[in-house]
C-alpha cells in the first residue's frame, strides 16, 4: 500500500527518509535527523549579525574603490591631457568587465562557497585599486593602462553580488534573508557617500593618488580581517577538483538549467531585476544633470547627498519589515511582491511628480522618496532568487545581474537620446515609470517563493513510500 506524504515549500529530496535504509529510532521518528543536521549549516543569529556587519563594510569599500576613478577623473584628465571622449572610454570600460564575470562568480560560489570568492576577489580588486597610480605613472600610455585597469576592476568586482546571493542562500534562513540583503545593499549607498566626502577632501589635500591608495589598502585590510577572524585563517583554496565535484548545493545539469529557465517564476525574476537595474542606472546617471539643468543655482552637495542619506535607513527598514512579516506567518511570496510594489510602484508615483514644474526643495524631496522606495527591491526580487533556487542562487543572480547591467547601460544611452531630441526631462521620467510598471506587473503576476530547482520526477519518487 502506497502512502503519499505531503511536504512544505522547503522540501528537499536529499533530506527524505527511506524506510528501507533509515529505520525509525527509539522515539518512533524517522531516522533522518542525523542527515538533516549534517545539511543544516545555517548561521546562528549572532553569527549572522556579525557577517552582516562585515559584508556591509565590504560592500561599502567595494563602492569606495569603484567610485574612486569617477571622482578623480577630472584631475587625471588635466594631468594626462585626456579629452572627454577618452575619459568616457576609461570610465565606461568598467561596466564591460563587470558584465562578464557575473555568472562565473555565482557558479563558482555555489560550488565552493561564496565567502571564498568574496575574499579572493576583494583582495584582488583592492590590490588593483591601490596599484592604479603606479600603473598610471610608469606606463608610457596612461590612457591604455587606465582603461585596462578599469576593465580588470569590473571583472574582479563582478563576482561580488552573485557571491553574496549564493552565500545568503546557503547560510541564512528564509526569515532573515531580507534584513541581511537589504543591510548589505545599503553599503553601496554608504560607500558612495563616504568616497564622495572623504575622497573629495583627500583629492584636494593630497592629490588623486591618495584616493586610490587609501580605498585600495582599506579593502585589502578588510579581506585580511575577514580571513583571519571569520574564516579562522583557513586558506580559501579553490581547486579544479572542488569546482568539478561541487557540493550538495550545486548539482544541476544542463537539462535542469533548461527546465529552470522555463519556469514562469524564474523568468519573472529576471525580467523584474532587468527593469529595476534599468531605472536605477538611469536615475543614478542623469539625476545630477537634471538638477544642474533645472536648478543651476542649487548647491550640488544637497542633491548629491540627501537622496543617499534617505536610501540607507529605507533599505534597512525594508529588510526588517519583510523579515517580520514572514516571521509573523505571512506568505513569503506575498511579502516579496509587497516589497517590490513599494520599490517599483510607489517610487514611480514620485518619479512622475518630477515631470511637472516644481521647486528645488520639492524636487529633492521627490528624488529622495524615489530612491528610498527603490531600495525595497533588496527585500523583493533580490531575495526572491534565493527562495526559488537556493542550489544555484549565485549563478542565477549572475544571469540576472548581467542582463540588468547590459540593459541598464543601453537605457542610459537611450535616455540621453531622448533628452537631446525632446529637450524635456519629462520623457525620461515617463520612460522610467513605464519600465517600472512593466517589471512590477510581471512580478505580481508570476512571482512565487517555492523551490523550482528540484527535479519534479525525483520529488514524486521520494514522496512515495512502500
Amino acid at each position: 500500500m502506497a502512502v503519499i506524504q505531503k511536504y512544505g515549500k522547503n522540501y528537499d529530496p536529499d533530506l527524505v527518509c527511506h524506510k528501507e535504509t533509515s529505520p525509525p529510532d527509539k522515539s518512533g521518528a524517522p531516522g533522518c535527523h542525523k542527515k538533516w543536521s549534517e545539511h543544516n549549516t545555517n548561521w546562528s543569529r549572532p553569527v549572522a549579525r556579525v557577517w552582516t556587519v562585515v559584508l556591509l563594510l565590504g560592500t561599502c569599500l567595494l563602492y569606495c574603490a569603484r567610485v574612486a576613478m569617477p571622482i578623480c577623473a577630472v584631475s587625471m584628465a588635466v594631468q594626462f591631457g585626456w579629452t572627454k571622449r577618452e575619459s568616457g572610454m576609461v570610465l565606461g570600460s568598467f561596466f564591460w568587465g563587470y558584465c562578464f564575470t557575473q555568472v562565473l562568480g555565482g557558479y563558482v560560489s555555489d560550488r565552493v562557497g561564496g565567502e571564498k570568492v568574496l575574499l579572493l576577489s576583494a583582495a584582488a580588486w583592492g590590490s588593483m585599486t591601490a596599484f592604479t597610480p603606479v600603473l598610471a605613472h610608469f606606463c608610457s600610455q596612461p590612457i591604455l593602462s587606465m582603461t585596462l585597469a578599469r576593465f580588470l576592476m569590473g571583472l574582479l568586482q563582478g563576482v561580488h553580488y552573485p557571491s553574496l546571493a549564493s552565500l545568503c542562500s546557503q547560510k541564512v534562513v528564509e526569515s532573515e534573508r531580507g534584513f541581511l540583503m537589504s543591510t548589505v545593499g545599503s553599503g553601496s549607498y554608504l560607500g558612495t557617500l563616504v568616497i564622495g566626502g572623504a575622497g573629495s577632501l583627500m583629492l584636494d589635500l593630497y592629490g588623486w593618488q591618495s584616493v586610490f591608495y587609501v580605498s585600495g589598502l582599506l579593502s585589502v585590510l578588510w579581506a585580511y580581517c575577514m580571513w583571519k577572524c571569520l574564516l579562522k585563517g583557513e586558506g580559501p583554496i579553490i581547486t579544479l577538483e572542488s569546482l568539478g565535484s561541487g557540493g550538495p548545493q550545486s548539482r544541476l545539469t544542463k537539462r535542469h538549467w533548461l527546465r529552470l529557465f522555463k519556469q514562469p517564476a524564474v523568468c519573472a525574476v529576471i525580467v523584474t531585476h532587468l527593469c529595476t537595474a534599468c531605472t536605477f542606472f538611469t536615475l543614478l546617471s542623469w539625476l545630477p544633470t537634471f538638477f544642474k539643468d533645472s536648478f543651476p543655482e542649487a548647491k550640488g552637495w544637497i542633491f548629491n547627498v540627501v537622496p543617499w542619506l534617505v536610501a540607507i535607513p529605507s533599505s534597512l527598514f525594508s529588510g526588517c519589515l519583510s523579515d517580520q512579516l514572514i516571521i509573523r506567518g505571512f506568505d513569503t511570496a506575498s511579502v516579496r511582491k509587497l516589497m517590490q510594489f513599494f520599490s517599483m510602484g510607489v517610487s514611480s508615483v514620485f518619479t512622475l511628480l518630477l515631470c511637472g514644474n516644481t521647486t528645488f526643495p520639492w524636487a529633492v524631496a521627490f528624488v529622495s522618496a524615489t530612491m528610498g522606495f527603490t531600495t525595497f527591491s533588496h527585500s523583493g526580487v533580490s531575495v526572491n532568487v534565493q527562495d526559488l533556487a537556493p542550489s544555484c542562487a549565485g549563478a542565477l543572480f549572475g544571469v540576472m545581474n548581467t542582463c540588468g547591467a547590459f540593459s541598464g547601460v543601453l537605457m542610459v544611452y537611450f535616455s540621453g537620446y531622448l533628452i537631446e531630441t525632446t529637450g524635456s526631462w519629462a520623457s525620461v521620467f515617463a520612460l522610467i515609470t513605464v519600465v517600472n510598471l512593466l517589471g512590477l506587473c510581471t512580478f505580481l503576476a508570476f512571482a512565487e517563493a517555492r523551490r523550482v530547482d528540484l527535479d519534479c520526477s525525483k520529488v514524486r519518487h521520494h514522496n512515495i513510500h512502500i
Side-chain angles (χ1 to χ4, degrees):
M1 180 177 180
V3 179
I4 301 179
Q5 298 182 349
K6 296 181 179 179
Y7 294 90
K9 59 184 176 182
N10 294 325
Y11 165 73
D12 189 338
D14 289 337
L15 307 179
V16 173
C17 314
H18 297 280
K19 183 176 181 180
E20 299 90 62
T21 58
S22 301
D25 57 17
K26 293 181 181 181
S27 62
C32 65
H33 296 288
K34 182 178 180 180
K35 193 168 186 178
W36 164 258
S37 62
E38 292 173 355
H39 283 276
N40 187 19
T41 58
N42 290 332
W43 291 326
S44 63
R45 178 162 294 183
V47 173
R49 293 295 180 260
V50 172
W51 272 96
T52 300
V53 174
V54 171
L55 295 175
L56 167 65
L57 292 176
T59 305
C60 175
L61 290 171
L62 178 95
Y63 267 76
C64 287
R66 181 181 301 184
V67 183
M69 180 65 78
I71 286 179
C72 301
V74 176
S75 299
M76 295 176 70
V78 172
Q79 179 173 344
F80 299 117
W82 293 346
T83 64
K84 293 290 185 182
R85 183 177 179 181
E86 289 174 331
S87 297
M89 182 175 66
V90 172
L91 295 173
S93 60
F94 172 88
F95 294 99
W96 294 111
Y98 187 72
C99 294
F100 287 131
T101 52
Q102 297 281 336
V103 179
L104 177 62
Y107 174 82
V108 175
S109 299
D110 290 334
R111 287 185 170 268
V112 303
E115 67 278 7
K116 294 183 179 181
V117 179
L118 283 171
L119 175 58
L120 290 176
S121 65
W125 55 256
S127 301
M128 175 63 69
T129 304
F131 197 62
T132 296
V134 179
L135 288 176
H137 285 100
F138 287 92
C139 182
S140 59
Q141 296 291 334
I143 184 67
L144 296 179
S145 62
M146 290 299 94
T147 301
L148 178 60
R150 288 296 290 175
F151 179 78
L152 292 177
M153 276 288 292
L155 287 176
L156 296 171
Q157 290 198 352
V159 305
H160 184 82
Y161 281 104
S163 300
L164 280 177
S166 178
L167 181 63
C168 184
S169 68
Q170 295 173 12
K171 299 294 186 179
V172 183
V173 297
E174 182 182 71
S175 60
E176 296 182 2
R177 290 173 183 169
F179 177 77
L180 186 143
M181 290 299 291
S182 61
T183 302
V184 174
S186 66
S188 60
Y189 315 123
L190 179 61
T192 304
L193 284 174
V194 170
I195 196 64
S200 300
L201 184 62
M202 288 188 293
L203 178 64
D204 294 335
L205 295 178
Y206 306 108
W208 62 267
Q209 296 90 340
S210 62
V211 181
F212 288 95
Y213 288 140
V214 172
S215 58
L217 293 177
L218 284 177
S219 302
V220 174
L221 178 62
W222 174 83
Y224 174 79
C225 294
M226 175 183 171
W227 170 71
K228 194 70 175 178
C229 300
L230 294 184
L231 300 182
K232 309 301 181 184
E234 297 179 2
I237 304 300
I238 299 177
T239 63
L240 292 178
E241 181 181 358
S242 64
L243 290 176
S245 60
Q249 294 286 338
S250 182
R251 289 181 180 173
L252 293 181
T253 62
K254 293 181 179 179
R255 180 174 62 86
H256 289 139
W257 273 105
L258 291 175
R259 181 178 57 83
L260 195 63
F261 286 120
K262 292 180 180 178
Q263 297 287 337
V266 174
C267 295
V269 165
I270 295 176
V271 171
T272 305
H273 185 80
L274 184 152
C275 295
T276 301
C278 280
T279 56
F280 179 76
F281 282 144
T282 303
L283 290 171
L284 184 67
S285 302
W286 288 111
L287 279 179
T289 306
F290 162 74
F291 278 106
K292 289 181 179 179
D293 290 349
S294 304
F295 311 99
E297 302 299 327
K299 295 182 179 180
W301 69 266
I302 297 178
F303 56 79
N304 284 328
V305 171
V306 173
W308 305 114
L309 288 178
V310 174
I312 294 174
S314 176
S315 181
L316 298 176
F317 172 75
S318 69
C320 294
L321 177 62
S322 65
D323 286 351
Q324 285 299 315
L325 291 176
I326 293 175
I327 291 174
R328 293 178 183 276
F330 287 89
D331 178 62
T332 302
S334 300
V335 174
R336 305 298 185 220
K337 291 180 180 180
L338 177 63
M339 297 297 106
Q340 205 60 33
F341 172 77
F342 282 112
S343 174
M344 306 185 84
V346 178
S347 68
S348 295
V349 175
F350 293 97
T351 304
L352 283 177
L353 292 175
L354 292 169
C355 295
N357 294 326
T358 181
T359 61
F360 176 70
W362 279 111
V364 173
F366 293 153
V367 169
S368 300
T370 298
M371 300 306 297
F373 281 111
T374 299
T375 63
F376 277 63
S377 64
H378 293 309
S379 305
V381 65
S382 297
V383 187
N384 189 229
V385 65
Q386 301 166 29
D387 303 325
L388 297 173
S391 63
C392 56
L396 186 56
F397 191 90
V399 173
M400 293 164 48
N401 230 19
T402 300
C403 296
F406 273 121
S407 59
V409 172
L410 293 177
M411 187 166 170
V412 169
Y413 284 127
F414 183 67
S415 298
Y417 170 78
L418 283 179
I419 296 171
E420 289 185 358
T421 55
T422 64
S424 171
W425 284 95
S427 59
V428 175
F429 295 134
L431 175 63
I432 291 174
T433 302
V434 170
V435 174
N436 263 340
L437 295 180
L438 174 63
L440 178 60
C441 292
T442 303
F443 195 76
L444 294 179
F446 300 105
E448 299 178 8
R450 63 178 180 85
R451 289 192 63 172
V452 297
D453 58 340
L454 302 178
D455 193 333
C456 297
S457 61
K458 291 183 179 181
V459 174
R460 288 194 297 267
H461 171 75
H462 286 297
N463 277 352
I464 301 177
H465 290 211
I466 306 298

